[in-house]
Amino acid sequence: MHKEELKNFPKVELHCHLDGSLGEEALRKIVREEGNKVESLLNRMRVRRAGTDLANYLSCFESAMPFLQSKQNLRIAAYDAVRQAAQEHVIYMEVRFAPMYHGREGMTQKEAVWAVLQGLETAERDFGVKSRLLLCMMRGKPEEQNGETLSCAIKMREYGVAGVDLAGNEAAYPPQLYKSLFQKARESHIPFTIHAGECGSSANVRMSIEMGAARIGHGVAIADDEETKAICKKKGIALEMCPVSNLQTGAVKELSQYPWAKFWSEGVPVTINTDNRTVSDTTLVREWQTLEGAFGPFDREILAQAADHAIDVAFLPMEEKEKLKKELREKTR
């Protein structure tokens, strides 16, 4: 499909990290600088080479964090994440971030969440892109901090927080370490996704599903695990696939080995996402073009099905999903 046609086609994004998507326009507003300084900052935020490991990839996030320690800057970043998505005709997106990482200057987790929600709300009004927020609990952090994140999500569901996530170094901190937190999430009826299967462990995906995950972040490790794939199909557990970052982190060694086409043909629920627009230097258009480079051109039907599947597994009430599906049908006629 031609790049411009791909760009203009309505899309849905479910896996986009706020701190990994701090773009140039937002950064200029935050640092109030022009020219080389901003470009130098952006370069430090971008992954330096493909085929690195997940830990090195995650280190790029630290370059953005000093600029996201105030309510105003979080509002700017959230607004800009939606602006970037609007340029690609995204009709719905879920943005995620870890509020515990934004308290270096005294901001509480609740204050950080409110700031991001305000930025998303303003952007939705300005660009017409519906958005919701996911709060990330972090591997390796104290249960007290993660518990506070979960409490924020539970208390702020009616204000735009749609669910929770578990992110960070999967190899060092498998999902079962956080079983009690997710049990509380289930009891509170808040949906959650878990980063799993990004470091080669199919068992982590299985455990995440057993703990109640409604979606899996990445999940590429189950490509040859017939039993886990069957569970995903039966339960409608969608994989939030991010091709460019999966290649950059070494989750998949070569594009020809990327399991998206295999999952798609086998009926395993999959969605396509950017993960981190700045860190991976990517867009949704680039993600789809990357897949086209390995699996041939896509037609409008595949893109429409992908958007429809993503709406099905979005952390939204059914009536809001139906509105999005109606919008999708109208824009793809």
Side-chain angles (χ1 to χ4, degrees):
M1 182 180 286
H2 188 273
K3 181 178 180 180
E4 199 61 27
E5 185 180 4
L6 181 56
K7 179 180 179 181
N8 291 331
F9 199 91
K11 305 172 205 59
V12 173
E13 175 157 31
L14 302 178
H15 191 125
C16 180
H17 290 270
L18 180 67
D19 46 350
S21 301
L22 182 60
E24 180 176 355
E25 186 168 317
L27 193 57
R28 290 192 187 283
K29 291 179 181 177
I30 289 169
V31 303
R32 304 181 187 279
E33 293 280 355
E34 299 292 333
N36 293 337
K37 182 175 181 179
V38 169
E39 188 57 39
S40 176
L41 290 170
L42 286 169
N43 284 337
R44 291 203 298 273
M45 293 175 191
R46 294 180 182 126
V47 67
R48 289 157 185 78
R49 66 185 187 280
T52 185
D53 59 37
L54 181 59
N56 285 330
Y57 180 89
L58 293 175
S59 69
C60 295
F61 286 73
E62 187 54 37
S63 296
M65 280 302 170
F67 304 105
L68 297 174
Q69 300 301 321
S70 72
K71 298 176 199 175
Q72 175 66 11
N73 290 354
L74 282 175
R75 284 192 288 266
I76 290 171
Y79 182 93
D80 192 64
V82 177
R83 182 196 64 81
Q84 292 178 61
Q87 291 182 327
E88 299 189 277
H89 293 265
V90 170
I91 61 173
Y92 173 71
M93 74 181 304
E94 291 177 1
V95 177
R96 61 186 72 187
F97 88 126
M100 69 178 69
Y101 282 160
H102 303 275
R104 297 180 185 179
E105 297 175 12
M107 187 164 42
T108 66
Q109 289 202 38
K110 184 177 181 181
E111 288 172 335
V113 174
W114 272 121
V116 174
L117 287 172
Q118 288 166 353
L120 296 179
E121 182 180 9
T122 303
E124 183 171 335
R125 185 174 64 243
D126 289 353
F127 302 111
V129 178
K130 189 179 186 68
S131 63
R132 291 293 182 267
L133 183 61
L134 304 185
L135 304 188
C136 295
M137 298 184 287
M138 297 304 301
R139 290 175 159 103
K141 294 301 179 182
E143 185 167 352
E144 181 181 358
Q145 280 186 296
N146 282 325
E148 184 179 350
T149 300
L150 178 56
S151 294
C152 281
I154 293 168
K155 293 174 183 176
M156 303 172 79
R157 283 194 72 182
E158 62 182 293
Y159 302 105
V161 175
V164 293
D165 179 24
L166 176 66
N169 190 336
E170 178 193 352
Y173 302 96
Q176 57 264 36
L177 296 177
Y178 305 90
K179 200 167 185 177
S180 63
L181 288 165
F182 287 112
Q183 179 61 35
K184 182 178 178 181
R186 292 177 70 176
E187 292 169 356
S188 302
H189 304 290
I190 188 160
F192 55 89
T193 177
I194 295 178
H195 281 67
E198 193 178 9
C199 68
S201 174
S202 179
N204 283 350
V205 176
R206 176 74 72 86
M207 176 56 67
S208 297
I209 294 171
E210 290 175 0
M211 288 164 51
R215 301 197 313 244
I216 298 295
H218 304 292
V220 293
I222 70 167
D224 298 316
D225 184 336
E226 301 304 324
E227 192 172 352
T228 302
K229 286 190 291 185
I231 293 171
C232 288
K233 289 168 64 175
K234 181 179 179 180
K235 294 188 174 184
I237 308 295
L239 308 181
E240 304 160 354
M241 302 191 76
C242 308
V244 172
S245 80
N246 290 159
L247 289 164
Q248 291 169 336
T249 63
V252 175
K253 300 303 180 187
E254 297 179 10
L255 181 57
S256 61
Q257 299 172 355
Y258 199 68
W260 171 83
K262 184 176 186 179
F263 290 147
W264 185 272
S265 65
E266 293 174 349
V268 178
V270 292
T271 67
I272 296 300
N273 311 274
T274 61
D275 200 7
N276 301 286
R277 289 172 175 265
T278 299
V279 172
S280 287
D281 194 18
T282 192
T283 62
L284 269 182
V285 170
R286 182 184 174 192
E287 300 293 335
W288 281 104
Q289 286 183 312
T290 298
L291 293 177
E292 277 195 318
F295 306 112
F298 301 129
D299 57 25
R300 292 173 61 87
E301 183 178 353
I302 288 179
L303 291 173
Q305 287 178 0
D308 191 73
H309 292 340
I311 293 171
D312 282 336
V313 298
F315 290 164
L316 284 172
M318 187 57 66
E319 60 270 21
E320 294 185 46
K321 292 183 182 184
E322 289 302 322
K323 289 179 182 178
L324 279 173
K325 289 201 172 198
K326 181 180 179 182
E327 181 180 353
L328 178 64
R329 289 192 296 270
E330 290 173 348
K331 291 185 175 181
T332 53
R333 282 174 182 162

